[in-house]
Amino acid sequence: MSSSSDFQQDRHSFSGSPQKWTDFELPGDTLYYRFTSDMSNTEWGYKFTVTAGHLGRFQTGFEILKQMLSEERVIPHLPLARIWEWQVGVACRQTGHQRLKAIHLLLKIVQCSTQGDCDLTLLKPLWQLFTHMENNSCHDTAKPGILLPLHRALAELFFVTENRVTELGCLQEYLLALNTEDHLHRCTAQ
């Protein structure tokens, strides 16, 4: 079992009696599995149970962080740089609703941060995802004007972040950090 179709990420292999199987967690919202029989038995195979989104883990952490970031008197006591780094990592690794929730927390952090609280260059993978979505939405004439929730969330995150860095006076450094040299050359040529 794995969280990737090529069985390279978060791989868990089991063989033999059910007692050898152990519980495990996979990130994301998709499970890939492959069953291979060695034909040494006449049993039907294995049975396993998949349980999605354990409340008490991601959801609880999200709710706690969301509440803490909503309390102005608490914010100065939070390690925003570390929380920022963790949430960017979560937003890059997760998919579906968990990714949207991580982006929501990133948006809250940007809105309450001061210069130096957050390493905005960590947003580069999300920026690349956003620009890829932007480029594909321009070519998708089947559904003009309709954005996916992830596309909308990223658009809001980058819009608010750009406004925030403009206020802080570091827009140029921010834009240079997110874009590749090749992209900057193409923009200059245009």
Side-chain angles (χ1 to χ4, degrees), residues 76-151:
H77 305 286
L78 295 175
L80 285 181
R82 301 261 337 254
I83 294 171
W84 174 262
E85 188 177 330
W86 295 331
Q87 289 306 308
V88 170
V90 170
C92 290
R93 285 189 309 275
Q94 293 296 336
T95 58
H97 292 293
Q98 290 180 341
R99 176 180 271 172
L100 290 173
K101 288 178 178 186
I103 291 170
H104 174 79
L105 291 175
L106 290 173
L107 189 56
K108 287 182 107 25
I109 294 169
V110 164
Q111 292 169 327
C112 67
S113 69
T114 60
Q115 192 166 8
D117 280 346
C118 307
D119 179 0
L120 297 174
T121 63
L122 296 175
L123 289 175
K124 191 169 189 168
L126 293 175
W127 174 253
Q128 291 169 339
L129 173 62
F130 175 66
T131 55
H132 176 74
M133 293 178 94
E134 282 285 296
N135 292 336
N136 287 344
S137 72
C138 293
H139 302 300
D140 186 7
T141 56
K143 298 177 186 173
I146 298 175
L147 297 180
L148 298 171
L150 175 59
H151 194 166

Side-chain angles (χ1 to χ4, degrees), residues 14-135:
F14 299 96
S15 179
S17 67
Q19 291 76 24
K20 292 183 179 181
W21 286 58
T22 58
D23 289 345
F24 62 93
E25 290 184 22
L26 288 177
D29 59 1
T30 305
L31 163 76
Y32 295 91
Y33 68 94
R34 180 176 20 211
F35 176 77
T36 306
S37 173
D38 63 359
M39 307 297 252
S40 65
N41 230 332
T42 58
E43 306 290 335
W44 64 269
Y46 286 101
K47 176 181 175 183
F48 57 91
T49 304
V50 177
T51 306
H54 292 284
L55 189 62
R57 293 188 180 128
F58 184 91
Q59 184 63 29
T60 301
F62 168 76
E63 293 297 335
I64 290 169
L65 270 173
K66 184 174 80 170
Q67 186 61 39
M68 290 173 69
L69 291 168
S70 298
E71 299 286 332
E72 285 186 36
R73 59 186 164 81
V74 174
I75 292 171
H77 305 286
L78 295 175
L80 285 181
R82 301 261 337 254
I83 294 171
W84 174 262
E85 188 177 330
W86 295 331
Q87 289 306 308
V88 170
V90 170
C92 290
R93 285 189 309 275
Q94 293 296 336
T95 58
H97 292 293
Q98 290 180 341
R99 176 180 271 172
L100 290 173
K101 288 178 178 186
I103 291 170
H104 174 79
L105 291 175
L106 290 173
L107 189 56
K108 287 182 107 25
I109 294 169
V110 164
Q111 292 169 327
C112 67
S113 69
T114 60
Q115 192 166 8
D117 280 346
C118 307
D119 179 0
L120 297 174
T121 63
L122 296 175
L123 289 175
K124 191 169 189 168
L126 293 175
W127 174 253
Q128 291 169 339
L129 173 62
F130 175 66
T131 55
H132 176 74
M133 293 178 94
E134 282 285 296
N135 292 336

